[in-house]
Amino acid sequence: MGEREFRAWRKWLCGVLSVLLAVTLSWASPWGSGFDLAFGRTAIEDTSTPLSAGTQPEGEGSSAVAAVLGAVGDEEAERAAEERGADVEALGYVPGEVVVVYEDDASPAEQDDVAEAIGSGQVLDPASFETGDVAVVDISDDVTVGTAIEAVEADEAVKCAFPNYVVQSFDDPAAQASSAATSWLAGDEMASRQWYLSAVKASSAWELLADSRRDVTPVSVAVLDTGASVSHPDLKNVLDMDRSGEVVWIDRQSGKVALRPLRGDGYLNGTDEMPLYSTHGTHVAGILAAEAGNGGVLGVASGGGTKLANRLVSLSSIDIFSCIGKDERTGAEFSSATVNDILYGLAKARDLGCRVVNMSLGFYTNDEKCIAALNEKTAELDVGGLVQVCAAGNDHTEQKTYPAACDATLAVISLSKRGAIPGNSPTYSSKTWESSDGFMRSWFSNYGDWCDIAAPGENIYSTVVLEGTMRDDYGYMNGTSMASPVVAAVAALVCAAAPDLSAAEVRSTLCETATDMHLSGRDAETGWGLVNAEEAVRAALPPSAPVPAGSEKPAEPQPDTPGSKTPAGGQVLEHGWKTMGGNKYYYGADGKPMVGFGKIDGVWYYFDSAGAMRTGWVQGKGTWYYLDLSSGRMLTGWQKAGGVWYYLKDSGAMATGWQKVGGSWYYLKASGAMATGWQRVGGAWYYLKGSGAMATGWYKVGSSWYYSNSSGAMQASRWIGNYYVTGSGAMATNTWIGRYHVNASGLWDRTR
C-alpha cells in the first residue's frame, strides 16, 4: 500500500467510524445514575492550575475557519487536486493534511470544531503538551494545504499551523548492512570491531560507575525510529517491551491513534505489510544498548563486563515511521515519517517516563512557524527532564535540520578516524582538517555553528536485520544516525551517575567534558568536540547540589567494618565517644574508630572515612540519609531541611516517588523534596494540597472545580455524575456540552 493510497484509506475509514460513533452517541446518556453534588464537598483553595479553566460551547465547526474557506475562488479545487497528485518527496510534505498547534487553553470541543470545519472526518488524538496540543488534521479534498493553514489560523483556539513535513532517517543511503558474523560468540569478541567504544572511552565510564558503589536505577531511553528487531539475540533481553511499540495512525480496532505492541523493524503503520527492507532502528538500538556478555556486540551504555552490565539502561523502541518515501535521484523507496510523528513520539516517550530520547532523523525547513513550534515543544520536554539527542544530517552542508537545530536538543556531528574506516572512504579525500590522533569530520556529515557535539558515525558495527534473508545478524552502517545514539548512550550514563541532574545540566555536562578535536572550544566542525563518556561520568558523579538524589528501594544501613584510621597521628584511644579538633568520634572495644554506619545504644550514626561523625545529608549504601544537625542521630519520618519537607523511611532512607503516609498519598520528587500543587506524573495530572497530601474527588483550585478519581488522577473531557469536566480538567459552567447544558453551578439542567 503506497502512502497516498494509505492516506485515502484512512480518510474513508474516518468517515465510516464517525458516522457509527454519531449513531451510537445519539442513543447514549452522558451521565451516570443519581446526582453527585460538587458543591457539597470541602473546597481546596489554591491559585495555581495546570491548564486554563476556560471553555467554549460546542458548535458545528468554527465559523472563523468557514469564513476563510468561503472566500476562496473556484480554482482552489483544481489546485488542491494538482497538489494531491504531486510526488510527496517533491512537495516535502504530505498533501491533504496540516499540523495544527492549539493554544494551551483550547478545549477538546474547540479542537474538534476546528478539525470539523476544515473537513476532517474524524478527530485523531493530539500529542498532548502543556504549551498547547498538536494534532494532524485531514482537510477537504478541494482545499490546498496553504489555504487550510490560513483558515485554521483564523480560529482563536489555534496558535499556528503548518504542513506535515516529511522526515527521513539519517543513515548514508549508499551504506549497506554487511554480515560479518554467522554465529553467536561466547563472549563479546565482536567488540573489537566497534572502534567507537574506545574512541569515546566507554569502558572507563562503566568502571567509574561500578567503582562508585552507587545503587544505579536503569535509565529509561527511548529510540524514535523504524522499530527494532525483537528477536535479535543482542536486543531481545534489552528491549523494554512494556514501553516499546508502534505508533499506529487509525488503529483498526479503536479508530484512534494507538501505540500497538512492537513487532520488529519496518512494519507499515499497524498493517501486516513490511514493504521495504529496514534495519535502521535495529542498528541504532544496538549502538546504544546491545546486551553485554552474551556474544555479539556491546552497547555504549551496556556496562560491559562490570558488575553493572545490562543494568544501566532500559531501552524503549518507538516506531514512528508510518509512511513510504522515494529518493528523487535513485527512485529507491524508504521508510519515512512526518513532523507530526516526531511530536507524537516525543509526547509518548515523555508519558512512558523516558529520561533520554534518540532521534536519528530529521528534515530541512525554513518554515518559521514550524521551527517555533518545535522549539516550544522540545523546550517544554527539556524542562520536564527529557534529554533529546538528534542526528545533524548527512548532506555535507551547514544548512540546519530539525529537530536537531532546536535550542533544547543536542545536534550530533559524525566523526571518522584514520585506520578505523575503509581506505577508500571519501572522508580521506574530502577532509579539511585532521586531529593529531587521526580524527576527521565524516565526509557526509552536516556541520555548522548550530551543532553541539560530535561522535563516531562512519564504519559503525552494530546489530542489523539482513536484507533479503531478513536474518538477525551484524553489519556496518554510516551516518549521523549512528553518531547520535553514541551521544544518547553517554547521556544515559550521566543520568545513571547523577539522576537528579536536569536535562539542561546533562547537556552541559556532555558539552563541557567533550574532547577538543579541531579548534579549542566550540567550532562548526565538531561542536564542543568528541563526546567523552569517561570525563562526563566523572563530572556527574560528585554531588552537584546540597539536596541529594534518592533511591526508590533503599535498604536499612548495616554497620561497616571498623576502619583502621585514627584522627590523631595513629594513636589508639579507649572505647566510647571522643571529641577532637571539633569532630566527634566513636571508638570500639578494639580501640579503633567506627567508620560508616554504626548503631550505638540503639541509635544509628554515620562516620566518614576518618571516623568523624557526620550530620545533615549523607550518602551510604546507595541512597541518602539525614542526620540530626546537633546530635548526629539518623532521623526518620517527615523532616524539614532547608525549608523543604522530606520523608525518611523507617530504615532512614530518603523516599522518592509516591509514598503513602498515615493513610494519605504524597509525591516526593527525584530530589526527595515533597511536591505540592499540580504535578504531572506518568502522563496524568495530580493535585497535592499544601500539606502535600494527594487530593481525590471534587476539589477547588483558584476559582475552578476539578475532579480526581480514587487513584488521584485528574479527570478530563468526561461526565462526572451530572457535571462535566473539560479538557483542562476544570468543571464546565454556563455552557453547552453537545446536546446538554450545564448551569452556573456546573450541574446539567436541560437538553437541546
Side-chain angles (χ1 to χ4, degrees):
M1 181 186 293
E3 181 179 341
R4 287 193 292 275
E5 290 82 3
F6 168 72
R7 299 286 178 179
W9 169 81
R10 189 180 80 172
K11 178 165 284 191
W12 171 82
L13 182 60
C14 285
V16 172
L17 290 173
S18 61
V19 171
L20 292 174
L21 183 63
V23 171
T24 302
L25 291 178
S26 67
W27 292 96
S29 169
W31 58 84
S33 60
F35 291 87
D36 191 6
L37 300 179
F39 290 89
R41 302 179 182 273
T42 303
I44 302 171
E45 300 292 345
D46 203 290
T47 58
S48 61
T49 59
L51 296 171
S52 172
T55 186
Q56 297 287 336
E58 286 193 25
E60 299 299 326
S62 166
S63 59
V65 175
V68 174
L69 295 178
V72 299
D74 296 337
E75 66 278 6
E76 176 70 13
E78 183 178 341
R79 288 197 298 266
E82 182 180 346
E83 181 180 58
R84 287 172 183 262
D87 182 78
V88 173
E89 296 308 309
L91 287 174
Y93 59 85
V94 180
E97 59 189 43
V98 295
V99 178
V100 180
V101 181
Y102 292 98
E103 296 287 357
D104 57 5
D105 59 351
S107 68
E110 290 173 312
Q111 295 181 25
D112 290 353
D113 284 349
V114 171
E116 290 168 6
I118 203 65
S120 184
Q122 181 181 10
V123 181
L124 300 180
D125 297 328
S128 177
F129 292 92
E130 293 180 44
T131 50
D133 292 349
V134 181
V136 63
V137 176
D138 287 332
I139 62 178
S140 299
D141 292 341
D142 55 356
V143 175
T144 62
V145 167
T147 298
I149 290 172
E150 179 185 356
V152 297
E153 287 182 338
D155 193 285
E156 293 182 354
V158 174
K159 184 178 295 184
C160 70
F162 46 84
N164 197 13
Y165 294 106
V166 175
V167 174
Q168 298 181 18
S169 57
F170 281 154
D171 59 326
D172 177 10
Q176 296 294 320
S178 57
S179 176
T182 56
S183 63
W184 313 118
L185 303 183
D188 287 313
E189 290 85 350
M190 283 189 230
S192 62
R193 297 168 182 154
Q194 296 177 266
W195 68 272
Y196 54 95
L197 292 177
S198 59
V200 301
K201 301 182 179 179
S203 60
S204 298
W206 303 334
E207 291 168 2
L208 278 173
L209 280 168
D211 292 343
S212 71
R213 299 182 180 179
R214 286 176 177 265
D215 185 13
V216 174
T217 300
V219 177
S220 182
V221 182
V223 175
L224 303 189
D225 217 292
T226 61
S229 171
V230 299
S231 58
H232 200 294
D234 248 330
L235 295 178
K236 64 181 182 181
N237 296 324
V238 175
L239 285 168
D240 182 347
M241 297 303 291
D242 291 333
R243 296 189 185 187
S244 297
E246 178 185 2
V247 176
V248 177
W249 295 95
I250 295 292
D251 178 78
R252 287 188 171 99
Q253 294 180 350
S254 67
K256 304 287 276 183
V257 184
L259 187 69
R260 305 290 288 173
L262 182 68
R263 295 174 293 167
D265 195 333
Y267 284 93
L268 180 62
N269 199 56
T271 70
D272 293 329
E273 299 180 38
M274 190 184 289
L276 300 172
Y277 160 67
S278 177
T279 192
H280 189 270
T282 299
H283 201 265
V284 168
I287 294 169
L288 207 156
E291 186 174 357
N294 72 324
V297 295
L298 291 165
V300 176
S302 67
T306 70
K307 64 182 180 181
L308 294 177
N310 307 314
R311 293 171 50 198
L312 293 173
V313 296
S314 173
L315 188 66
S316 302
S317 174
I318 303 177
D319 181 0
I320 64 168
F321 279 67
S322 61
C323 308
I324 296 176
K326 181 181 290 186
D327 189 284
E328 291 184 76
R329 296 167 295 178
T330 65
E333 292 186 324
F334 54 86
S335 297
S336 64
T338 67
V339 62
N340 191 69
D341 290 327
I342 291 176
L343 290 167
Y344 194 88
L346 283 171
K348 188 60 65 175
R350 173 207 61 204
D351 294 344
L352 291 170
C354 294
R355 185 74 168 89
V356 179
V357 62
N358 181 79
M359 292 177 279
S360 291
L361 47 80
F363 65 105
Y364 298 95
T365 185
N366 293 318
D367 188 328
E368 293 182 359
K369 292 182 293 185
C370 177
I371 293 171
L374 285 170
N375 269 312
E376 179 182 70
K377 305 312 175 189
T378 53
E380 175 186 324
L381 295 170
D382 183 74
V383 171
L386 186 64
V387 182
Q388 301 157 86
V389 185
C390 306
N394 298 341
D395 294 308
H396 187 68
T397 177
E398 291 188 78
Q399 185 178 353
K400 294 178 179 179
T401 63
Y402 289 89
C406 290
D407 296 335
T409 64
L410 280 171
V412 183
I413 293 171
S414 173
L415 294 183
S416 304
K417 187 177 183 181
R418 182 173 294 277
I421 60 176
N424 61 351
S425 169
T427 294
Y428 291 112
S429 58
S430 65
K431 71 182 179 70
T432 56
W433 60 272
E434 182 175 348
S435 70
S436 59
D437 46 358
F439 283 95
M440 302 159 274
R441 177 170 55 80
S442 303
W443 68 271
F444 49 78
S445 182
N446 287 0
Y447 59 100
D449 57 9
W450 55 277
C451 296
D452 299 293
I453 201 165
E458 185 174 3
N459 209 39
I460 301 301
Y461 195 67
S462 181
T463 48
V464 298
V465 180
L466 288 183
E467 187 171 11
T469 64
M470 303 306 289
R471 186 179 77 248
D472 292 321
D473 216 309
Y474 299 92
Y476 293 94
M477 293 182 73
N478 304 328
T480 54
S481 276
M482 286 63 250
S484 184
V486 173
V487 175
V490 178
L493 295 179
V494 169
C495 291
D500 210 29
L501 290 180
S502 68
E505 289 170 331
V506 173
R507 289 189 284 113
S508 295
T509 299
L510 294 179
C511 294
E512 290 170 4
T513 58
T515 304
D516 281 323
M517 287 286 109
H518 179 43
L519 303 176
S520 178
R522 189 172 188 173
D523 61 74
E525 292 282 319
T526 66
W528 288 101
L530 173 65
V531 66
N532 187 322
E534 178 184 10
E535 292 306 316
V537 169
R538 192 188 306 279
L541 278 173
S544 55
V547 178
S551 171
E552 290 289 348
K553 298 180 179 179
E556 181 175 335
Q558 299 297 319
D560 292 336
T561 302
S564 59
K565 296 183 179 179
T566 59
Q571 66 187 46
V572 177
L573 302 181
E574 60 188 40
H575 177 62
W577 287 100
K578 299 292 178 181
T579 301
M580 294 177 292
N583 293 319
K584 295 184 70 174
Y585 301 82
Y586 187 84
Y587 287 81
D590 59 358
K592 296 180 180 179
M594 185 174 287
V595 174
F597 279 106
K599 204 169 190 178
I600 304 169
D601 296 330
V603 177
W604 284 99
Y605 298 85
Y606 184 81
F607 303 88
D608 64 22
S609 59
M613 186 189 78
R614 294 282 304 277
T615 62
W617 289 108
V618 298
Q619 189 177 37
K621 308 299 182 184
T623 189
W624 288 87
Y625 299 82
Y626 191 72
L627 308 168
D628 186 78
L629 295 177
S630 57
S631 69
R633 298 161 63 98
M634 187 180 74
L635 301 175
T636 60
W638 289 108
Q639 300 294 332
K640 198 168 189 178
V644 177
W645 283 101
Y646 298 83
Y647 186 77
L648 306 168
K649 301 180 181 181
D650 290 342
S651 66
M654 185 186 75
T656 60
W658 289 107
Q659 189 76 20
K660 194 169 187 179
V661 184
S664 296
W665 283 98
Y666 298 81
Y667 186 74
L668 292 311
K669 301 177 183 179
S671 66
M674 184 187 77
T676 59
W678 290 107
Q679 299 291 327
R680 188 161 191 162
V681 183
W685 282 101
Y686 297 82
Y687 186 77
L688 304 165
K689 309 174 190 178
S691 65
M694 183 183 73
T696 58
W698 286 104
Y699 51 92
K700 193 174 185 181
V701 182
S703 59
S704 299
W705 284 90
Y706 295 82
Y707 185 86
S708 291
N709 61 22
S710 58
S711 69
M714 185 194 76
Q715 303 299 287
S717 302
R718 60 177 298 178
W719 289 93
I720 307 295
N722 288 59
Y723 299 85
Y724 187 81
V725 286
T726 67
S728 69
M731 186 181 71
T733 59
N734 283 326
T735 189
W736 287 93
I737 310 298
R739 298 189 299 116
Y740 309 98
H741 185 267
V742 291
N743 60 24
S745 298
L747 183 66
W748 169 78
D749 59 2
R750 65 181 185 277
T751 304
R752 292 185 193 271

